Amino acid sequence: MTDLSETSQVRGEVKGGLLNRWSWRELWHGQLWPVAAALTIIIACVFSLAALVVRVEKIMVEQGRSMIAADLVFRSANPIEPALLERAAALGLTESQQVRFGTMAFSDEAMQLVSVKSVGDAFPLRGELQLEGPDGMRSRVAPGELWLAERLLGLLAVEPGDTVAIGDAELAVSGVIRQEPELSFNPFSQMPGVIIHADDLGRTGAIQPGSRVQYRAYFNGSDSQLEQLQAATELAPGQRWLSETSQGRTGDVIEKARQYLSLTLVLVIMMASATLVLTCSHYVNTRTDTVAMMKSLGAGRKWLWQWLARQLVMLFTVAAVVGGAAGYGLEFLLRLPLKDVLPAPLPAIGWTPLLISMLVALLVALPGLGIPLWRLVDAPALAVLQRELPARSDRRRYGLLVLPVVMALWFAGGNSLVWLTLVGISGLLVMLAGMGLLWVAMLRQVKWGAAMQLAVSRISRSPLATGAQLAALTSSLMLLAVIWLLRTDLLADWQQTLPADAPNVFALNIADDQQGAYLAALDSAGVERSDGYPVIRGRITHINQKGLLTTEGNDQAGEQDESLRRELNFTWRDTMPIHNELLEGTWGGRQGVSVESGIAERLGIGLGDSLSFSVNSQPFSATVTSIRKVEWRNMRPNFYFIFTPDVMAALPATWLVSFRVEAGQDALVNQLGRDYPTVSLLDLRIMATRIQGIMQQISLSLSVLAGVGVASGLLLVMTLLRLSLAQRRQEIKLYRTLGASRKRIAATVWGEYGMMALIAGGMAVLGAEAVVAALVKWGFELPLRWHPGLWLAVPVLSLLLVVVIVRSMIASLLEPLKG
């Protein structure tokens, strides 16, 4: 009995060893290696893309948070409630506080209105604070210290060690503020900055009932801790959370970059999955005879599944090892163009990219391999004799789609951008397939030569198959174009947001009798500047005699739009600013006002409406003559309301001008400060350089990611063409049997695939323009752009791919027919 047991065990081991060797040979010498290659590509692409996304997103978040000096900021018009700080402490968050207010600074020689920040020992929690004193550089503020913006030294005529009074407190000047982590973009609300320690706040006596004060609490911690704190805090009027995505220009850039990263990852997974499904389907078609033969020799379903399972285990093992290594190497290559802008050391990627790539590969392979292989196992034994005999239909195999679909829905979640893309592409594919068939029908009406006539006949013989093939080829080219066009539109928008020649210094509070000489001084120095703008602050009070403000200063409209709760900056001009765009109406006239499109939409203002305003308690009215589009992020002087000169020219105003100071012109800013001590100079050079650096970093990252997406699309297109040509072998054999020459067959193949490439390329352009227009308008909220270069590039690219694939395969297609 023992001998029989041992003999059975030995036979099992021998049988298992033979089955393993057979499975290994089948993997590499059969038709399964393209499936292994496709799975390897999925793992490598998803790993490299996910790793780069993790790094880039961490860098973007780090840069964004350094601009708010913490991971999360709570801003309030009232003192921070102890309950909030207690909740933060209970969650294990690091905390720091700040109080901001405006007051007068007095020296022995002069006085100046300043913006004071009172900070704690830990400030800043993120970013870098650079303070330069006689003893060198510092990064923290100590009790009893007073740090001034550099221009305050000239305005107050003081040096380090001199005494300056901030309210009731007299403090010795410790040095100069060289760099602050917090960035602000509104030149109209800027005053020279002063930093003191929180322990000295009470000594100033500057905070009295009715004072305009802003309180801030800064928090550092994990994302989950920060989310818990926000969820447990109910915001009152005048309170707001600030994060890296809510900080104007940089927040908008970071949020759009995140959207593009997630969308690109989804599209790359879609294209790589399609490649896997196509290669697996081709494998099943080529192995149907083998399975039918094994069934005719007595192989059962269980044995076939064991045979295939061994191959799949080997396949996944090889794909995981090779794909993981290739993905790591590809991620390194993707970082090479970014080496000059990425920080050192790089953020760690952890295990997330590898886990994501493996999970994606498994979810894609579950239906992509499972459904075709299930169909292969169900192939009847009689298929050896009758190839077209259908396999047993088992609808249970489609249950393999459930888990991947559920996971895809969970991943997409509330991402409207991904849903918009998927729905749009699905609808377009049906429409484009119909358009392709219409084009084919039109081609049939044209008289061609014999080879081309055969090609047209071949395309139109099976409308369903042709429509599916055109839809697949078109969708591949379309996804490729969508990835690249979105990248192009985003970069174009960011370049417009902060171009290389953007102003980096603002001069404010220029007296009317100084503005001519001030502009002349800039012109004589060869500085690129804006026009001079007269500026006066006031409020909008009525629209068509309907009041906007109640006696308390707030109403429903005010709750909807912050512009009604504060004074706005008004100006007047004969001509429209060159960086504004006229949307409606005409410029000029008398008693007129031009309104920015955003506030016009929010407040329901239209052409011909009568608006009432108040400046220094003086009411006046104007009629809306035009609506303008304003790009608020371009660091140029911009205004909600621009009046015709006759409306406000008699009112006293100061002047504003922006200009750009290049490297080597630092002395000019200092000289202007000495020559015009009453003019406020807002130097944004450090801030602009930091923002441009972040944008350059993100732009290069998106370009690299777009390159990965385009490569995935090209791989899918080439796979489609190769498999389609491989399926033509039987037809070509039939044509040769009927006497067709090699030359005519080659011409037919070239004509067929050339026409399909042109049709698919043209439809892909239409589809890409439609998808990108929808994403740009409703997803990224960017201006619509047409891409004329795309109309030539995509059809030419599809033709080139056809040339490459057909030339590489045409000889092998005809070679078996020699003799």
Side-chain angles (χ1 to χ4, degrees), residues 485-633:
L485 290 184
L486 281 178
R487 168 256 179 204
T488 302
D489 285 357
L490 280 174
L491 296 191
D493 178 67
W494 294 342
Q495 288 170 357
Q496 180 183 355
T497 296
L498 192 62
D501 60 347
N504 53 20
V505 179
F506 282 78
L508 306 93
N509 302 321
I510 305 174
D512 190 64
D513 59 349
Q514 291 179 318
Q515 71 103 6
Y518 200 94
L519 298 182
L522 294 176
D523 292 337
S524 64
V527 172
E528 184 178 349
R529 65 171 177 85
S530 70
D531 293 337
Y533 290 84
V535 178
I536 192 168
R537 295 181 67 81
R539 291 178 178 271
I540 177 173
T541 59
H542 297 77
I543 300 177
N544 294 326
Q545 287 75 52
K546 182 179 180 181
L548 295 176
L549 303 178
T550 64
T551 55
E552 290 81 11
N554 291 295
D555 67 340
Q556 293 182 350
E559 294 175 3
Q560 297 172 0
D561 196 82
E562 189 178 354
S563 62
L564 298 179
R565 306 180 201 164
R566 59 184 176 86
E567 288 187 329
L568 305 175
N569 296 286
F570 300 153
T571 191
W572 55 92
R573 287 174 61 86
D574 289 317
T575 59
M576 186 176 67
I578 59 174
H579 52 276
N580 287 186
E581 178 184 350
L582 188 65
L583 299 180
E584 298 180 60
T586 57
W587 190 267
R590 292 186 57 78
Q591 293 296 310
V593 60
S594 176
V595 185
E596 185 266 337
S597 57
I599 196 172
E601 180 179 356
R602 297 192 299 271
L603 299 183
I605 297 174
L607 292 178
D609 285 349
S610 175
L611 307 182
S612 299
F613 303 88
S614 175
V615 171
N616 296 329
S617 300
Q618 299 182 43
F620 61 93
S621 299
T623 302
V624 179
T625 57
S626 65
I627 305 293
R628 291 169 294 114
K629 180 181 178 181
V630 174
E631 175 52 72
W632 293 102
R633 302 170 299 172

Side-chain angles (χ1 to χ4, degrees), residues 356-395:
I356 289 176
S357 61
M358 295 301 174
L359 179 61
V360 168
L362 286 171
L363 291 175
V364 169
L366 186 63
L369 295 177
I371 293 175
L373 293 179
W374 197 320
R375 180 165 54 88
L376 178 63
V377 172
D378 286 343
L382 290 177
V384 174
L385 303 175
Q386 189 176 352
R387 186 173 180 81
E388 301 300 325
L389 194 67
R392 181 171 61 90
S393 178
D394 190 345
R395 298 181 182 275

Side-chain angles (χ1 to χ4, degrees), residues 327-543:
Y328 188 85
L330 181 58
E331 194 269 339
F332 174 77
L333 293 176
L334 292 176
R335 282 191 276 115
L336 288 181
L338 310 176
K339 62 181 181 180
D340 293 333
V341 295
L342 291 178
L346 286 172
I349 59 175
W351 292 97
T352 301
L354 183 61
L355 294 177
I356 289 176
S357 61
M358 295 301 174
L359 179 61
V360 168
L362 286 171
L363 291 175
V364 169
L366 186 63
L369 295 177
I371 293 175
L373 293 179
W374 197 320
R375 180 165 54 88
L376 178 63
V377 172
D378 286 343
L382 290 177
V384 174
L385 303 175
Q386 189 176 352
R387 186 173 180 81
E388 301 300 325
L389 194 67
R392 181 171 61 90
S393 178
D394 190 345
R395 298 181 182 275
R396 290 178 301 171
R397 62 174 177 258
Y398 296 105
L400 297 174
L401 287 168
V402 173
L403 181 59
V405 169
V406 170
M407 292 297 293
L409 294 175
W410 175 81
F411 173 79
N415 192 327
S416 58
L417 197 64
V418 173
W419 285 111
L420 183 64
T421 305
L422 296 179
V423 172
I425 289 175
S426 301
L428 277 170
L429 286 181
V430 177
M431 182 184 71
L432 293 175
M435 289 178 59
L437 294 176
L438 180 62
W439 274 103
V440 172
M442 293 172 61
L443 290 174
R444 293 190 63 183
Q445 307 303 316
V446 181
K447 290 189 176 182
W448 305 93
M452 285 295 295
Q453 193 67 40
L454 185 61
V456 174
S457 174
R458 167 70 181 80
I459 294 175
S460 58
R461 184 183 309 155
S462 177
L464 186 61
T466 300
Q469 196 170 20
L470 280 173
L473 188 57
T474 300
S475 62
S476 306
L477 292 168
M478 183 175 67
L479 291 177
L480 182 153
V482 165
I483 289 174
W484 192 256
L485 290 184
L486 281 178
R487 168 256 179 204
T488 302
D489 285 357
L490 280 174
L491 296 191
D493 178 67
W494 294 342
Q495 288 170 357
Q496 180 183 355
T497 296
L498 192 62
D501 60 347
N504 53 20
V505 179
F506 282 78
L508 306 93
N509 302 321
I510 305 174
D512 190 64
D513 59 349
Q514 291 179 318
Q515 71 103 6
Y518 200 94
L519 298 182
L522 294 176
D523 292 337
S524 64
V527 172
E528 184 178 349
R529 65 171 177 85
S530 70
D531 293 337
Y533 290 84
V535 178
I536 192 168
R537 295 181 67 81
R539 291 178 178 271
I540 177 173
T541 59
H542 297 77
I543 300 177

Side-chain angles (χ1 to χ4, degrees), residues 49-89:
L49 199 58
L52 192 61
V53 166
V54 168
R55 289 198 200 276
V56 171
E57 184 162 335
K58 283 185 177 180
I59 291 169
M60 289 190 300
V61 169
E62 181 69 26
Q63 295 278 15
R65 289 179 173 178
S66 71
M67 290 188 176
I68 61 172
D71 293 342
L72 185 67
V73 179
F74 180 79
R75 189 181 73 184
S76 175
N78 299 304
I80 305 298
E81 297 177 0
L84 173 63
L85 302 179
E86 292 171 2
R87 283 194 294 269

Side-chain angles (χ1 to χ4, degrees), residues 599-735:
I599 196 172
E601 180 179 356
R602 297 192 299 271
L603 299 183
I605 297 174
L607 292 178
D609 285 349
S610 175
L611 307 182
S612 299
F613 303 88
S614 175
V615 171
N616 296 329
S617 300
Q618 299 182 43
F620 61 93
S621 299
T623 302
V624 179
T625 57
S626 65
I627 305 293
R628 291 169 294 114
K629 180 181 178 181
V630 174
E631 175 52 72
W632 293 102
R633 302 170 299 172
N634 59 17
M635 293 184 69
R636 300 181 186 276
N638 285 311
F639 301 85
Y640 282 125
F641 300 97
I642 301 180
F643 297 86
T644 54
D646 59 294
V647 177
M648 300 181 65
L651 295 175
T654 58
W655 289 74
L656 159 75
V657 65
S658 65
F659 54 95
R660 180 169 185 80
V661 175
E662 303 291 352
Q665 293 182 309
D666 296 348
L668 173 64
V669 178
N670 296 330
Q671 186 62 45
L672 288 172
R674 288 191 294 267
D675 294 344
Y676 300 91
T678 59
V679 174
S680 298
L681 279 174
L682 177 60
D683 191 346
L684 304 178
R685 284 176 289 175
I686 294 177
M687 181 194 72
T689 300
R690 290 175 64 188
I691 295 174
Q692 286 174 331
I694 292 173
M695 288 187 173
Q696 179 192 15
Q697 179 175 297
I698 296 175
S699 299
L700 285 173
S701 301
L702 295 197
S703 297
V704 171
L705 293 174
V708 175
V710 169
S712 300
L714 291 175
L715 177 65
L716 176 56
V717 173
M718 295 176 72
T719 302
L720 281 168
L721 293 173
R722 290 185 66 87
L723 294 182
S724 177
L725 276 167
Q727 294 167 358
R728 299 292 311 280
R729 292 183 185 275
Q730 293 299 322
E731 290 187 31
I732 290 175
K733 189 179 295 185
L734 177 62
Y735 291 154

